[in-house]
């Protein structure tokens, strides 16, 4: 709930209608998260019992939304605190604005009629969002390399942590997990480059005033940076789960079969 309302709290001049809509969405998001983490049977949320996977994703997304909100607030009602975020975002945006970089390609999402100020704001937001997502991903990789995920002190229930994965869908479970891991890793790497081109191709470039409005820019840039990083984390995690099942099979002398999925 705090994550969803953060832009409305930080940005000055948020209208009453917008605040009410954001409050409604925040209540829905909070209720959904509460139900997912307290339900006996899983439904949508993955790795709910395998911390700190979701904690890292949440902290990364919150840092994205908070930083982008502070940058936008600096343009509307500057304070020393928000100007610091604006200055750092400006440096990050210009530092990563080189040919074929994700930040340079993100500029494709804005229409040709954009002013220099609007392009600079988009560049700062894209650079900040991309760096934060890389930091969050790097932190997760460090934990992964230290072999503390998933925790060795408690059982890892594959069914609970991967509720959307169908174990009886055909083929060996380990092979399917490894295939899904490779797909997620590939998509996570390519999305920052593909998404801007797809948006530009399908819409001919967004209206500059639409994309550079504070709330829209915050959530578009947060999604643009968070989704690829989340897919990369998911790919790494599924690869680890596949390795765990393979190791358990080898230790127990089990033959490859879908039934071994439930025992991992």
């Amino acid at each position: 709930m705090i994550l969803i309302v953060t832009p409305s709290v930080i940005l000055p001049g948020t209208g009453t209608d917008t605040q009410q809509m954001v409050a409604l969405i925040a209540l829905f998001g909070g209720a959904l998260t509460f139900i997912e983490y307290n339900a006996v049977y899983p439904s949508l949320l993955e790795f709910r019992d395998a911390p700190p996977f979701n904690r890292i994703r949440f902290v990364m997304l919150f840092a994205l939304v908070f930083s982008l909100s502070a940058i936008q607030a600096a343009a509307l009602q500057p304070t020393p605190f928000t100007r610091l975020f604006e200055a750092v975002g400006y440096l990050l945006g210009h530092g990563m604005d080189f040919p074929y970089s994700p930040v340079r390609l993100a500029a494709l999402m804005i229409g040709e009629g954009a002013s220099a100020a609007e392009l600079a704001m988009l560049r700062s937001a894209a650079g900040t969002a991309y760096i934060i997502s890389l930091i969050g991903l790097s932190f997760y990789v460090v934990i992964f390399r230290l072999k503390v995920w998933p925790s060795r002190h408690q059982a890892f229930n594959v069914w609970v942590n991967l509720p959307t994965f169908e174990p009886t869908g055909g083929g060996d479970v380990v092979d399917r997990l490894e295939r899904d891991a490779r797909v997620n890793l590939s998509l996570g790497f390519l999305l920052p480059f593909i998404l801007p081109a797809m948006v530009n191709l399908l819409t001919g470039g967004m209206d500059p005033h639409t994309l550079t409005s504070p709330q829209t820019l915050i959530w578009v840039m947060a999604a643009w940076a968070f989704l690829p990083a989340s897919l990369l984390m998911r790919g790494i995690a599924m690869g680890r789960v596949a390795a765990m099942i393979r190791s358990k099979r080898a230790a127990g002398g089990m033959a490859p079969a879908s039934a071994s999925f439930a025992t991992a």
Side-chain angles (χ1 to χ4, degrees):
M1 292 173 65
I2 294 174
L3 167 68
I4 295 173
V5 303
T6 293
S8 298
V9 171
I10 294 179
L11 293 175
T14 303
T16 304
D17 293 340
T18 301
Q19 292 176 351
Q20 293 175 351
M21 181 61 68
V22 170
L24 180 62
I25 297 173
L27 287 172
F28 176 78
L32 178 63
T33 304
F34 180 82
I35 292 172
E36 280 288 308
Y37 270 90
N38 288 275
V40 177
Y41 301 103
S43 57
L44 293 174
L45 194 62
E46 295 183 330
F47 301 109
R48 70 176 194 179
D49 291 336
F53 183 87
N54 285 328
R55 297 174 186 176
I56 295 175
R57 292 202 300 180
F58 172 78
V59 171
M60 178 171 60
L61 183 57
F62 181 80
L64 282 168
V65 173
F66 182 85
S67 299
L68 296 176
S69 300
I71 292 174
Q72 293 298 305
L76 300 174
Q77 189 175 327
T79 64
F81 180 74
T82 57
R83 289 299 297 271
L84 174 62
F85 279 87
E86 183 184 41
V88 173
Y90 178 85
L91 293 175
L92 292 175
H94 279 267
M96 297 190 64
D97 186 19
F98 52 87
Y100 305 108
S101 71
V103 174
R104 175 69 62 86
L105 294 176
L108 295 175
M109 291 189 292
I110 198 168
E112 296 181 355
S115 64
E118 290 171 335
L119 285 172
M121 180 63 70
L122 178 63
R123 187 184 301 114
S124 298
T128 302
Y130 199 68
I131 288 296
I132 292 175
S133 67
L134 289 179
I135 292 174
L137 180 61
S138 300
F139 182 70
Y140 173 72
V141 170
V142 169
I143 292 179
F144 178 82
R145 290 298 182 184
L146 292 176
K147 299 182 179 180
V148 297
W149 190 92
S151 175
R152 296 294 188 268
H153 303 294
Q154 60 184 16
F156 183 86
N157 191 315
V158 181
W159 175 64
V160 170
N161 288 292
L162 286 172
T164 59
F165 183 82
E166 176 54 54
T168 60
D172 182 44
V173 170
V174 173
D175 292 339
R176 291 171 54 213
L177 283 171
E178 291 177 342
R179 180 194 62 200
D180 289 354
R182 290 191 291 268
V183 170
N184 279 270
L185 290 172
S186 300
L187 285 176
F189 177 78
L190 294 175
L191 272 184
F193 304 93
I194 295 176
L195 283 178
M198 290 180 60
V199 171
N200 183 266
L201 179 64
L202 296 176
T203 66
M206 289 185 180
D207 183 355
H209 300 293
T210 300
L211 185 59
T212 56
S213 62
Q215 292 272 3
T216 304
L217 182 61
I218 290 169
W219 290 111
V220 168
M221 288 293 100
W224 170 78
F226 175 76
L227 289 178
S230 183
L231 285 174
L232 288 171
M233 291 176 61
R234 187 175 187 269
I236 294 172
M238 294 187 78
R240 169 59 66 86
V241 172
M244 289 172 57
I245 297 176
R246 190 184 297 276
S247 176
K248 188 175 182 64
R249 284 176 176 174
M254 298 176 63
S258 297
S260 63
F261 178 84
T263 64

